[in-house]
Amino acid sequence: VALVRIIVKQIPYEIFSERSALWLGDCHARAARVLVPSNFSLANASRNLGDPRDPHFSPDGRFIYFITSAAITDGAVHRVDVRTRKEGFVVYGGSDLLIFRTGPYRGDILTRQHSCHKASGCDHPFYVFTREGRQVAWIPHSERRDQPALAGWLHANHIQPK
């Protein structure tokens, strides 16, 4: 079981108002250990680990993907190896995070990513990224938080949402 433990709820005068740590729990042993301690940083947005949240296991159970705050417009997706505790940045994005369990994108990441265009302005369309962070698909017409466009894309690609 992956869980997030909130350490501090409100930090006065700071942009990010919560500190948390990512833990791994073993139900059989009734024990838990910290996988990603809270490590807040504004120096490098992709390295901010002050508020890990929304954990998702990879299909093989070896990694946990999670989101942290990174910028005003986007979070950051990270992953941690549950055995070695080695953590790494994967890609900017993070809202509506999903790890594909089956199908052609098994193990890949579905998330929204902030983008701006001169003609249409800013939006948050869905993209598919490999576990290494390489973009492999863009979900057409998923801008402006259009959930029917995502459902149509998943259906057209024979992917069952969780």
Side-chain angles (χ1 to χ4, degrees), residues 75-155:
V77 177
H78 297 260
R79 76 177 186 177
V80 62
D81 186 308
V82 297
R83 287 179 286 214
T84 66
R85 298 183 193 180
K86 183 179 180 190
E87 175 277 326
F89 168 79
V90 179
V91 68
Y92 284 108
S95 59
D96 298 317
L97 177 66
L98 177 98
I99 307 301
F100 289 106
R101 298 258 171 255
T102 60
Y105 295 102
R106 185 177 195 275
D108 288 344
I109 302 161
L110 175 74
T111 189
R112 293 184 182 277
Q113 194 174 63
H114 183 258
S115 60
C116 290
H117 312 281
K118 286 184 180 180
S120 61
C122 297
D123 50 31
H124 287 84
F126 281 99
Y127 293 92
V128 178
F129 297 93
T130 64
R131 56 204 85 177
E132 293 80 27
R134 184 177 54 85
Q135 181 185 324
V136 292
W138 162 70
I139 315 302
H141 311 294
S142 64
E143 298 84 358
R144 309 281 186 239
R145 302 196 183 274
D146 186 338
Q147 296 294 341
L150 174 62
W153 185 88
L154 292 170
H155 180 74

Side-chain angles (χ1 to χ4, degrees), residues 12-32:
Y13 311 111
E14 289 195 15
I15 297 171
F16 306 111
S17 62
E18 193 171 276
R19 296 282 195 281
S20 56
L22 182 65
W23 289 63
L24 181 66
D26 182 337
C27 295
H28 297 293
R30 295 185 179 188

